[in-house]
Amino acid sequence: MPRAKSKAVHLGRPRSDAAVSHAEILDAVSELLKEKPARDLTMDAVAKRAGVGKPTLYKWWPSKGALIMAMFHDRFNAILEVPEATSAEEALRTRVKHLVAQCNGLFGKVVADLIAEGQADPSILKELYESHIRPRRASTVADIERGIASGEFLAATDPELLLDAIVAPMYLRLLLRHPALTEQYGKQLIDQALLGIRTPKWRPGRRGKRDARSA
Amino acid sequence: MPRAKSKAVHLGRPRSDAAVSHAEILDAVSELLKEKPARDLTMDAVAKRAGVGKPTLYKWWPSKGALIMAMFHDRFNAILEVPEATSAEEALRTRVKHLVAQCNGLFGKVVADLIAEGQADPSILKELYESHIRPRRASTVADIERGIASGEFLAATDPELLLDAIVAPMYLRLLLRHPALTEQYGKQLIDQALLGIRTPKWRPGRRGKRDARSA
DNA sequence: ATTTTCCTTTACGTCTAGTAAAGTATAAGT
DNA sequence: ACTTATACTTTACTAGACGTAAAGGAAAAT
């Protein structure tokens, strides 16, 4: 008589270490995406390269899109840390520089692929936005709000809108591939976006952070 | 002996009127794209709805992407005419308003689909850019340059960059579908982009509309 | 009526997604 | 050691779509 599955005592073959096979599968996805667009990625190819069977893939991920999303999640979930000591403008410039570099690598390709896949499967768009874009935005918005609080940026600044004006053109170039997304372009975008935002008289202290003025 | 095909005298069945069957085929594509994403559009379905055979489709267009692009070209090639009498700012606002409306209709869906398809077929991206985006940009850039020449905008303004900051966020919302692309958002983008561009002393003719910000 | 050309229909070969069925491995229990 | 229960893999299959080839029908000149 089999015992009730009350404790850590199970009958039969235990689950294999998901961490290991998952890593191998996501590696395979990552490597294949370096070679071909997501559209041309076949589950058979992933299974073959990972050394597993196709049903194994479907056991853990319901679709190709979900699998790619999982790889993206696993590999590109880091949010850039920006030292609080710098001015908000410097923080923005650092982030944008970093984003340009990422967009010109595998990160950029996969983001573009995911947005493309998302046009036929909105759940991908939703997850991409909720799990990746939203948190990244939040941390940059925090930078901007810091800049507003410190008097570096005008009080009337809308952080979300400012962010959109800087970042969206970069993503669009990523998607359209033309013209190329360069670091210089990122700089120009910041320069322009800050034209009407920057407080004229504001001077960064050498540590950057000045007390918020009272009234 | 067949005569040389020197003149309008051909032997055999004449070519059927391409204009007619093309229109029917592109109608079919258009209708089907109202119902499903480009990814799920099948050539069989197009052929069936248009009442033609599949080989006929491949006779004129080499791929599904090319077919969709042809429909897009045929249906959405109009560029908005903006009266030269208005201020550059008004011209921008008119264009943006128009673009929001278009993006929320079939135009927007097809653009998004084409960009998505383009991720696996760069020739689509290229044609989309060269044949559609570039000319539209040119006409808006002309508006902005008019504004610079008239002194409405600062001389240092970079028209392309300004345009990117306004339009790219709209396209990105179109592609990400979240948050929704509203007319208000378009307005806010212009408001913000013009903050650092507008000449302080410049006064529009009485047609200019002073507008309060909408929180 | 015959010929010539164009076009459509039908049918096919291939590829891929996703699933079902059968077989193999690894543990506990006796 | 041997059975049993469970997890996983391999193989094979169905369904659908692409893109093409072959055959037949339609419309003009002769």
Side-chain angles (χ1 to χ4, degrees):
Chain A
M1 216 76 160
R3 289 179 52 177
K5 17 161 65 176
S6 56
K7 256 312 193 33
V9 182
H10 281 274
L11 209 54
R13 176 178 178 172
R15 297 179 166 275
S16 58
D17 191 351
V20 171
S21 58
H22 279 213
E24 279 163 6
I25 291 168
L26 299 186
D27 276 347
V29 172
S30 167
E31 281 167 31
L32 287 169
L33 282 184
K34 286 174 193 159
E35 300 166 9
K36 47 181 73 173
R39 175 93 179 236
D40 298 344
L41 188 75
T42 70
M43 297 299 256
D44 290 275
V46 173
K48 186 173 180 183
R49 181 166 306 204
V52 303
K54 228 183 338 169
T56 306
L57 301 183
Y58 286 102
K59 166 165 214 139
W60 280 310
W61 301 280
S63 67
K64 193 168 75 172
L67 178 54
I68 296 174
M69 179 64 85
M71 184 280 283
F72 182 71
H73 236 101
D74 186 67
R75 304 295 207 263
F76 299 109
N77 60 348
I79 294 185
L80 183 64
E81 292 284 339
V82 169
E84 285 225 356
T86 57
S87 68
E89 179 170 345
E90 274 310 307
L92 278 180
R93 290 189 186 277
T94 304
R95 283 195 198 280
V96 162
K97 194 168 158 182
H98 185 72
L99 181 59
V100 169
Q102 283 220 296
C103 281
N104 285 321
L106 183 61
F107 169 88
K109 183 185 173 302
V110 176
V111 168
D113 276 344
L114 282 172
I115 291 176
E117 295 288 307
Q119 299 309 311
D121 178 359
S123 71
I124 294 180
L125 289 183
K126 185 172 163 96
E127 188 172 348
L128 179 65
Y129 187 84
E130 296 295 339
S131 306
H132 181 79
I133 295 178
R134 187 198 284 284
R136 290 203 171 204
R137 285 180 67 85
S139 81
T140 306
V141 162
D143 288 340
I144 296 173
E145 283 171 344
R146 205 155 46 82
I148 296 173
S150 75
E152 181 179 353
F153 296 153
L154 290 177
T157 304
D158 181 331
E160 304 268 353
L161 213 51
L162 175 61
L163 180 55
D164 286 351
I166 295 171
V167 171
M170 299 170 62
Y171 275 100
L172 200 59
R173 283 204 174 185
L174 169 66
L175 285 157
L176 290 178
R177 268 141 148 164
H178 182 76
L181 173 55
T182 64
E183 200 171 299
Q184 190 208 1
Y185 182 64
K187 263 202 241 182
Q188 291 177 326
L189 283 169
I190 295 190
D191 289 342
Q192 160 155 307
L194 294 189
L195 272 187
I197 301 293
R198 221 164 353 206
T199 310
K201 62 251 178 204
W202 191 84
R203 280 276 139 65
R206 56 202 36 177
R207 289 218 57 248
K209 192 156 187 184
R210 236 171 60 128
D211 299 73
R213 300 193 307 264
S214 49
Chain B
M1 219 76 169
R3 291 178 52 176
K5 20 163 60 181
S6 56
K7 249 331 196 12
V9 182
H10 281 273
L11 210 52
R13 176 176 177 171
R15 296 180 167 274
S16 56
D17 190 349
V20 171
S21 59
H22 278 214
E24 279 162 7
I25 291 168
L26 299 186
D27 277 346
V29 173
S30 167
E31 281 168 30
L32 286 170
L33 281 184
K34 286 175 192 160
E35 300 166 10
K36 48 181 73 169
R39 176 95 180 235
D40 299 343
L41 189 75
T42 70
M43 297 299 255
D44 290 275
V46 173
K48 186 172 179 185
R49 183 165 305 203
V52 303
K54 233 191 321 178
T56 305
L57 301 183
Y58 286 103
K59 167 163 215 143
W60 281 310
W61 301 280
S63 68
K64 193 168 73 173
L67 178 54
I68 296 174
M69 179 64 86
M71 184 281 284
F72 181 71
H73 238 100
D74 186 66
R75 305 296 207 261
F76 299 108
N77 59 348
I79 295 185
L80 183 64
E81 292 284 340
V82 169
E84 285 224 355
T86 58
S87 68
E89 178 171 343
E90 274 310 308
L92 279 179
R93 290 190 187 277
T94 303
R95 283 196 198 280
V96 162
K97 196 168 156 183
H98 186 73
L99 181 58
V100 170
Q102 283 220 295
C103 282
N104 285 321
L106 182 60
F107 169 88
K109 183 186 174 299
V110 176
V111 168
D113 276 343
L114 283 172
I115 291 176
E117 295 288 307
Q119 298 310 309
D121 178 359
S123 71
I124 294 180
L125 289 183
K126 186 174 163 94
E127 188 171 348
L128 180 65
Y129 187 84
E130 296 295 338
S131 306
H132 181 80
I133 295 179
R134 189 199 283 282
R136 290 202 171 205
R137 285 182 67 87
S139 81
T140 305
V141 163
D143 287 340
I144 296 173
E145 282 170 342
R146 206 153 46 83
I148 296 173
S150 75
E152 182 179 352
F153 297 153
L154 289 176
T157 304
D158 181 330
E160 304 266 353
L161 214 52
L162 175 60
L163 180 55
D164 286 350
I166 295 173
V167 171
M170 299 170 61
Y171 274 100
L172 199 60
R173 283 204 174 185
L174 169 66
L175 284 157
L176 291 178
R177 261 127 143 173
H178 182 76
L181 173 56
T182 63
E183 201 170 299
Q184 191 207 2
Y185 182 64
K187 265 203 247 189
Q188 291 177 326
L189 284 169
I190 295 189
D191 289 341
Q192 160 155 308
L194 294 189
L195 273 185
I197 300 293
R198 222 167 345 208
T199 311
K201 62 245 177 212
W202 192 84
R203 277 280 137 65
R206 59 211 44 191
R207 308 217 33 195
K209 221 193 257 178
R210 251 320 65 114
D211 191 283
R213 73 187 63 261
S214 35

